[in-house]
Amino acid sequence: MKLEELQQMKEKMEDGYLPQWVVTDPEIYNLEQERIFSKTWLFLGHESELKEPGQFITRMMADDPILLMKNKNGEIKAFLNSCSHRGTRLCTEDFGKKKTHTCPYHGWSYNLDGELIGIVAGNKVYGEKMDKSEWGLRPVPRVESYQGMIFGNLNFNAVPLEEYLGEMKWYFDIMLGRSDGGMEVRGLPQRWVAKANWKMTSENFAADPYHVQTTHRSAVEMKLTPTDPLYASYGHQVVLSNGHGINVITSATGESANKYQGMPESMWPMFEKNLNKEQLEVFSKVTNFVGGVFPNLSFLSSCSGSEGTKHNHLNFRVWRPIAPDKVEIWVWYMIDKELPEDYKEKSYKGFLATFGAAGTLEQDDTENWARIIEASQGRMARDRKLSYNNVANYLMGFDNVEPDENFPGPGIAYPTCYTDHAARSMHKYWLELLMKESEGEG
Ligand code: FES
Ligand SMILES: [Fe+2]
């Protein structure tokens, strides 16, 4: 794809338009794999999934299968899940605990540091020359964590994770660092494949509370959410660095009937010890945090249940692109480790009813994403002549919404969540990354 074409798209985006065909185009997809998914920090899992030495989980980073394990020193190591002999997938399980991983093909085995420690028939077949230390598993070039969230990066020269997260750390501290002992993942991440483009799913969380009243109308009808058409607009949409974004949704008055997202009062002194004044101000009023870390990690911290029995839950999700029109969705449920068991149980049930593969709200969203693909793959929608009106509309809040200087958190905060500021920022960053290599290539 020519640099001029990407530049032209960026100019369009500055004006609030995004060509519709970018959600189904194979060339764009290949560029994204090379210039975004090979170079940015991708979420792999949470430290609570690897509590003891020997525990392991298998994940995907773009198209690479990854094996994460905790070694004897308690360090988390991540490797390409591929045997160094003939390259077969080494570990075939999703999770477990073992001291050594033995390849199912010819039986080579590796320890928790990824070192090759055993070869079937060893010296008898390879002689003395083969040096086992040269045939360990290939480590993921960079693995770093923040607030228990483990990320990997295929780019050795990437900026440190904390620098990449930037202002998002302040919000992560509220969601993940408010309790002593942090958060824990409950159960396994749910996983399924959906017809969708990763940009649309990421945008839905980072930048689009506007869809809530229409898409999730059944929740209104079940009296789970208010009838007010502006209900998900109250609060602030905050544009963060590197294409990240977050919506800090409150009630219409800006105050929440459920302080600290309705969590038990016994937890409050701990929150007040772990968070600063500005963070507490935001946390005491928020009803939902919904946002995303570019490119494809999204999160939602909300309360579910009927009035008076609301339980907070936090879910993180990865939209792993597997084709221009397909994502593999991974959803983790997380909860404060310190919360009483009965609270966790009720919260988990609330999560399962609303989000995850069988959740009602989740399926509302998934249908729309599939329909975007269906309506964007035909000749008319894919026509690249920009004289056609083949663009999606990102004009909301374009020149009628100004930043709120009084918002206590970092980032550029707009005093409504019904605006396209975060979406425009995300798509502009996406285009900048796509163009980066083109410039270098001359
Ligand atoms: S491929 Fe693993 S031992 Fe041969
Ligand atoms: Fe939704």
Side-chain angles (χ1 to χ4, degrees):
M1 180 161 291
K2 290 200 189 78
L3 181 59
E4 299 87 80
E5 202 168 357
L6 293 167
Q7 186 62 44
Q8 207 176 1
M9 248 198 272
K10 186 151 178 255
E11 281 158 25
K12 275 259 161 202
M13 197 63 246
E14 304 275 0
D15 292 337
Y17 310 107
L18 183 69
Q20 191 174 346
W21 51 265
V22 301
V23 298
T24 50
D25 187 71
E27 204 183 342
I28 287 274
Y29 176 81
N30 291 335
L31 264 189
E32 288 167 345
Q33 291 296 313
E34 185 191 317
R35 296 179 184 174
I36 295 176
F37 291 93
S38 310
K39 292 192 160 64
T40 50
W41 287 98
L42 304 176
F43 182 64
L44 288 170
H46 189 258
E47 285 173 2
S48 66
E49 295 179 90
L50 295 164
K51 291 191 184 77
E52 295 160 23
Q55 275 191 312
F56 67 88
I57 47 177
T58 52
R59 296 288 143 89
M60 294 295 291
M61 261 180 90
D63 292 331
D64 289 311
I66 305 295
L67 170 63
L68 288 116
M69 41 194 180
K70 192 163 222 177
N71 72 8
K72 283 193 181 136
N73 304 325
E75 297 154 337
I76 291 171
K77 302 270 180 170
F79 302 95
L80 182 66
N81 186 11
S82 171
C83 177
S84 59
H85 179 223
R86 288 286 203 278
T88 190
R89 188 182 279 236
L90 172 65
C91 177
T92 55
E93 296 151 89
D94 289 338
F95 70 102
K97 188 177 173 184
K98 50 174 82 163
K99 288 195 187 105
T100 52
H101 287 264
T102 302
C103 179
Y105 199 177
H106 311 90
W108 286 22
S109 52
Y110 303 84
N111 67 14
L112 301 178
D113 288 302
E115 293 159 343
L116 178 63
I117 52 167
I119 299 179
V120 173
N123 295 344
K124 292 195 183 65
V125 288
Y126 286 100
E128 298 294 331
K129 274 201 184 137
M130 211 187 68
D131 180 358
K132 284 211 282 279
S133 71
E134 287 174 6
W135 294 96
L137 299 176
R138 280 154 285 178
V140 174
R142 296 273 296 278
V143 180
E144 291 169 27
S145 295
Y146 186 73
Q147 292 287 17
M149 306 284 280
I150 311 163
F151 292 75
N153 200 320
L154 297 181
N155 178 11
F156 268 114
N157 303 318
V159 297
L161 173 67
E162 290 205 24
E163 190 180 325
Y164 182 70
L165 292 174
E167 299 143 334
M168 183 61 92
K169 287 196 301 173
W170 193 89
Y171 300 91
F172 267 24
D173 290 346
I174 302 178
M175 286 181 279
L176 304 163
R178 61 199 177 201
S179 297
D180 298 344
M183 306 299 280
E184 63 182 5
V185 167
R186 200 174 178 91
L188 288 171
Q190 293 189 19
R191 192 172 38 164
W192 71 101
V193 171
K195 192 196 255 190
N197 179 271
W198 69 273
K199 294 184 286 299
M200 293 297 109
T201 53
S202 292
E203 173 197 294
N204 180 276
F205 276 69
D208 185 15
Y210 181 51
H211 79 280
V212 171
Q213 273 307 46
T214 307
T215 296
H216 305 299
R217 187 70 200 167
S218 55
V220 177
E221 281 158 15
M222 288 190 290
K223 301 197 174 15
L224 296 173
T225 49
T227 51
D228 177 1
L230 289 173
Y231 134 75
S233 76
Y234 303 118
H236 290 82
Q237 181 173 97
V238 193
V239 174
L240 305 173
S241 53
N242 298 335
H244 316 322
I246 187 168
N247 297 275
V248 181
I249 302 176
T250 63
S251 69
T253 62
E255 298 295 326
S256 171
N258 301 292
K259 192 175 178 187
Y260 300 139
Q261 295 190 307
M263 278 189 281
E265 278 193 50
S266 57
M267 301 282 286
W268 295 7
M270 198 164 57
F271 300 153
E272 285 159 10
K273 173 180 66 116
N274 292 330
L275 302 177
N276 67 30
K277 192 168 133 277
E278 289 77 21
Q279 287 170 320
L280 288 168
E281 188 185 332
V282 166
F283 188 32
S284 63
K285 293 176 180 170
V286 68
T287 53
N288 296 280
F289 285 117
V290 56
V293 172
F294 189 88
N296 65 337
L297 172 67
S298 298
F299 56 84
L300 169 70
S301 167
S302 77
C303 278
S304 54
S306 50
E307 208 50 57
T309 62
K310 291 211 187 250
H311 289 82
N312 174 247
H313 66 76
L314 176 61
N315 70 77
F316 274 79
R317 62 245 334 285
V318 162
W319 321 101
R320 184 173 79 85
I322 51 178
D325 61 349
K326 272 196 195 65
V327 288
E328 185 180 60
I329 306 179
W330 292 65
V331 181
W332 288 256
Y333 165 88
M334 280 185 215
I335 191 77
D336 304 60
K337 212 163 158 186
E338 288 285 321
L339 276 164
E341 196 49 41
D342 69 317
Y343 185 99
K344 290 182 188 173
E345 194 56 38
K346 285 177 188 145
S347 153
Y348 191 48
K349 284 188 183 146
F351 157 73
L352 291 175
T354 46
F355 288 95
T360 48
L361 303 188
E362 186 90 43
Q363 292 314 317
D364 295 338
D365 288 320
T366 313
E367 276 200 41
N368 282 316
W369 299 328
R371 289 176 189 153
I372 292 180
I373 297 293
E374 286 158 13
S376 306
Q377 61 195 4
R379 282 180 193 285
M380 223 169 134
R382 282 189 295 120
D383 194 308
R384 293 196 186 190
K385 287 193 214 85
L386 296 175
S387 55
Y388 272 78
N389 192 21
N390 63 355
V391 288
N393 176 318
Y394 288 86
L395 291 167
M396 193 163 41
F398 196 81
D399 49 18
N400 57 337
V401 179
E402 294 300 320
D404 175 1
E405 306 294 342
N406 297 319
F407 183 73
I412 305 169
Y414 295 88
T416 172
C417 298
Y418 287 1
T419 182
D420 284 331
H421 280 92
R424 289 194 292 269
S425 158
M426 177 190 152
H427 296 309
K428 275 193 266 180
Y429 187 66
W430 163 74
L431 282 162
E432 275 165 30
L433 294 190
L434 289 189
M435 285 194 291
K436 246 187 186 156
E437 289 292 326
S438 310
E439 283 163 3
E441 284 159 9

